[in-house]
Structure formats: structure tokens, C-alpha cells
Amino acid sequence: MVQTSYAGFVSRGIAFITDLAIMSIAVLIVIALANSVTGFFTLYGLLSPGSTGSAIVAGAISLLSVGFVITYPVGFWVLFGQTPGKYIMGLRIVSVDGAPLTVRQAIRRYIGYWISAIPLFLGYLWVLVDDRRQGWHDKFARTYVLYERETRPHHAPAR
Amino acid sequence: MSAYREGEGYGNVPLPTTPQRDVIHAGEQPNAGEFDSLASVLRLIIGSMLMGGDELRSRLRQWEESPPHASPPAPQETSSDTLRYALIGLLMEARWRMSQSITAAENFSGRMAQWYAGSLAPLLKATPARPLLVRIDALLDQGRSAIGGWVKSGQSEEWRSRLLAQQAVDSILTEAIDRLAHSPEIRELLAQQGTSIAESTVDEVREHTVSADDWVERVVRGLLRRPESYQPSRPLNEVNVIQGQE
């Protein structure tokens, strides 16, 4: 049977950075567009700087950005089992039983991201020492990250 | 003895009238409004030959001037090699000798012409020979005029031929490139090539990161003095099944 194995820290790190770059660019575009729109209305005196209307627009933009940053990974995990960054690196996230991620699992994994980051990213570094290369967020959401292609385990059994 | 003056001849002997020849002067055409396909084809051939000749000469000069990359062959050679070298040497020697001979022949003919002219001058200057001399001069004039016309016409035609050939080459090249650019087969081929290059690059990056994953993990585990892990592999079809469900 063709075998694959758990994805390691470097591959996952590169995928994560790629996703961050994509998200940052997208958020920047949204902010730039929103600024153009508010600038247009400010010009016509509808939104004066420092007014309640401007504060509402700024809040809406922030909410939109936060919403995008949450829905981007969760949506991709549930719909495709991988984000664009993981697709480029040839990685896929599955449940421990091999099934695709549910929305609940994806949200748990996303919350797990923040939990893993709080103690100086120790949760992410856990991938380096875990036998199944799981970070804290993986353990929290009961998921694995696998290579999408045939790989062999490189380490001999420690006996 | 009266000197020869152009248009007047010698003394009071009138020049015979020369029939007017239809010399095509530079830029003039017999029927400028009509398209002459034969003339165009001829121009195209001449232009192509001139351009080709220029290009060949320039390339030859470049090749000759470029430093030799290979040293002459070792003296060990077979009899066929010797024969070949001898033939090549003979050919080059013959070319050199021929050019020398032509130069010598030119010098000799020049000297002979001078000698003849010197010897025949008194005879030609004699009064009975004057009408003959006048006729020869008229013929020479006619020849000079014709040659002058050809030169003028040739100058103009050369320029036009070069221009036509250049236009033909440019047009053919542009058309060929345009055709290639719009050819669906070529576009498909280029797209395939681009995709395959991108795919192979990504594959290579993936391969390297898999190795980096193991290396980093080994280093960290070594630092922490943890035993190397045994990673139980998972069946790939598990991933493929998930992919198939999408």
C-alpha cells in the first residue's frame, strides 16, 4: 500500500507564512478600497473626519478584516482540507480518523492556533518533538497534517 | 594639331550625331504608374543576394576573427588524413596563386596598353587617321554615356532592391511570429511548458522541505536528548479518498 507520513515543522511553517502573506495582501486591498470609498464620501461632506459615521465605517472595515482572517483558514480547511499555502506545499489536514474536518473541528483548530501562540509559540514548536508531528492546535482539534504524496518514514523505530 | 574638345571633336570636323538611347535614369521608370512584377521579382532577388552577401561576409569576418578554440591536431595521422590535408593546402595555395596571377596579369595588361598607346600615338595623330579617331571617340562617348546611365540606374536600383528585400524579410518575420503567437498548438505547447516548469519547481521545493523537516527535527531532538521518533505512516489513499470526496 502506498504510504504517506505526517508533515514536519518546516513544510508547515512555510505554508503558514504563505497563508499569512496572502491574508495580509487581501486585507490591505480591502482597507485600500474602503479608504477610497470613505474618501469619496468625505469629499462630498457626507462623512466628516472624526464623526460618528467615520467611526462606524472604520469599525466595519476592522470587523470585515477580522472576519476575513478567521474565515480564510476555517473556510479552506472545511471546504478543501487545505489552505492555499498548504496546497502549494502539498499538505492536507485530516481528522485523526482520516475524515475531512468538520466546521466544529476547524473552529477548534483556529482557537488552538491562538492557544499555541500564547506561550511563546510553544504549541507550534511542539510539532518538532511530537511523534505524530502534532501541534497543540492539532491535538485540541484532533487533526493530523499529512503530506499529500508518497513519503516514507525517515526514522527507524527507537528500540 | 587641335586638341580634342568634348562635344566638338577635333578641330572643325563635326561629330557624327549619335542616336538617342533610352537610358533609364535613377528613379525613373518606363511606366511609373504600372506595377512591373518582373522588375519587382528581379529587385527582390538582387536585394536578397546583396543582403545575404553582406551577412555572409560579416559572419565570415566574425568567425575568422574569433580566436581558435581548438589547437591543431596531433602529428599522428593516417594516409587519408595526409591526402585530405594536401588537398586543402593545394586548394588554398591555388587560390593565393590565382589572385597573384590576376594582379600580375592586370599590371602586364596596363603596361602593354601604355606601350601600345605610346607606339600608335604618332600614327593616330596623322591627318589621314583623323576621321577614324573621331569615330572611335564618338563610340567611346556613347559607351561612356551608356555606362554612366547604368551606374546611375544601378545605384538607385540597388537601394530599392535592398529596401524591398528588407521589407520582405521584416514582413515575413513579423507574419511568421504573428502566426506562431496565434497558433493554438504553439500556445498550448508554451502553456504546457510553463506549467510543467512551475510544477517541477514546486515539486523540488516540496522535496527539499521534506528533507528539511527531518533534519530540523533530528537537530532539535538531539539538543533535547530525546530519542528519534518513529513516525507511523498513514495510507496515502486516506488522503486521496478525502480528495475524491470534494
Side-chain angles (χ1 to χ4, degrees):
Chain A
M1 185 185 281
V2 183
Q3 300 282 301
T4 186
S5 57
Y6 303 103
F9 184 79
V10 177
S11 300
R12 292 174 65 168
I14 293 171
F16 185 71
I17 290 164
T18 310
D19 284 327
L20 275 184
I22 293 168
M23 281 194 284
S24 305
I25 291 165
V27 168
L28 276 175
I29 290 168
V30 168
I31 289 171
L33 280 173
N35 275 337
S36 305
V37 172
T38 50
F40 177 80
F41 285 113
T42 308
L43 197 71
Y44 285 93
L46 294 170
L47 289 170
S48 54
S51 67
T52 318
S54 291
I56 290 169
V57 170
I61 293 166
S62 303
L63 274 176
L64 200 69
S65 303
V66 170
F68 176 74
V69 167
I70 294 169
T71 50
Y72 172 90
V74 172
F76 273 112
W77 290 340
V78 174
L79 293 171
F80 304 106
Q82 56 190 169
T83 54
K86 284 194 166 58
Y87 169 76
I88 291 167
M89 295 310 297
L91 311 176
R92 184 171 282 274
I93 307 166
V94 294
S95 297
V96 287
D97 57 357
L101 263 70
T102 60
V103 177
R104 184 188 286 266
Q105 263 183 311
I107 292 169
R108 280 174 75 93
R109 196 168 191 274
Y110 186 79
I111 295 165
Y113 261 10
W114 289 94
I115 295 169
S116 299
I118 289 166
L120 298 170
F121 299 96
L122 186 65
Y124 293 111
L125 296 170
W126 203 257
V127 174
L128 290 165
V129 292
D130 189 80
D131 281 349
R132 286 187 168 77
R133 289 177 166 175
Q134 281 179 298
W136 288 1
H137 46 286
D138 288 315
K139 290 187 181 294
F140 186 54
R142 295 177 55 74
T143 56
Y144 293 133
V145 181
L146 306 173
Y147 294 117
E148 264 191 312
R149 59 198 175 283
E150 184 187 0
T151 53
R152 289 194 200 111
H154 291 264
H155 305 290
R159 288 179 203 265
Chain B
M1 184 90 200
S2 58
Y4 174 80
R5 281 194 293 275
E6 199 160 342
E8 290 176 11
Y10 290 93
N12 50 8
V13 181
L15 279 173
T17 51
T18 52
Q20 285 294 311
R21 289 195 52 195
D22 292 333
V23 177
I24 300 168
H25 293 289
E28 285 179 18
Q29 288 297 311
N31 292 312
E34 283 178 27
F35 169 70
D36 189 348
S37 56
L38 184 65
S40 287
V41 169
L42 203 61
R43 275 190 204 112
L44 186 63
I45 292 168
I46 292 168
S48 308
M49 281 167 67
L50 288 168
M51 276 178 69
D54 286 351
E55 191 61 32
L56 181 65
R57 213 173 301 124
S58 139
R59 290 288 162 97
L60 283 171
R61 189 176 293 136
Q62 273 180 14
W63 294 336
E64 285 283 356
E65 282 170 1
S66 62
H69 294 293
S71 53
Q76 292 172 346
E77 57 201 33
T78 61
S79 55
S80 66
D81 288 337
T82 314
L83 181 65
R84 194 174 68 249
Y85 296 151
L87 283 172
I88 293 167
L90 180 69
L91 200 66
M92 296 309 284
E93 181 80 13
R95 185 206 63 80
W96 182 77
R97 278 192 187 283
M98 198 177 279
S99 71
Q100 293 289 103
S101 306
I102 288 166
T103 313
E106 274 174 5
N107 291 338
F108 178 73
S109 64
R111 256 185 262 123
M112 285 302 288
Q114 274 180 350
W115 182 79
Y116 270 118
S119 310
L120 293 175
L123 194 67
L124 289 170
K125 281 172 187 171
T127 314
R130 193 172 280 181
L132 180 69
L133 198 65
V134 167
R135 197 161 283 279
I136 290 168
D137 280 337
L139 280 171
L140 277 173
D141 260 1
Q142 201 177 326
R144 262 192 227 112
S145 163
I147 291 167
W150 293 341
V151 168
K152 228 174 173 184
S153 166
Q155 280 174 346
S156 157
E157 285 299 332
E158 184 186 328
W159 175 75
R160 286 182 73 167
S161 301
R162 276 181 189 277
L163 206 66
L164 187 69
Q166 188 65 52
Q167 273 177 349
V169 168
D170 287 350
S171 156
I172 288 166
L173 272 177
T174 311
E175 204 171 315
I177 290 167
D178 198 46
R179 225 167 241 272
L180 283 173
H182 288 95
S183 159
E185 289 87 6
I186 299 288
R187 289 172 85 161
E188 198 180 334
L189 191 73
L190 287 172
Q192 274 178 358
Q193 215 166 19
T195 313
S196 66
I197 288 169
E199 277 175 2
S200 66
T201 309
V202 169
D203 278 345
E204 206 168 320
V205 170
R206 286 174 181 171
E207 290 296 324
H208 284 301
T209 52
V210 170
S211 308
D213 286 340
D214 295 325
W215 184 80
V216 170
E217 195 172 301
R218 213 174 302 130
V219 169
V220 171
R221 280 178 179 266
L223 287 171
L224 298 173
R225 293 183 182 172
R226 279 176 69 96
E228 285 197 6
S229 71
Y230 170 60
Q231 297 164 18
S233 49
R234 297 181 69 90
L236 187 63
N237 61 351
E238 193 174 80
V239 179
N240 294 337
V241 164
I242 297 160
Q243 282 174 318
Q245 286 173 350
E246 285 166 9

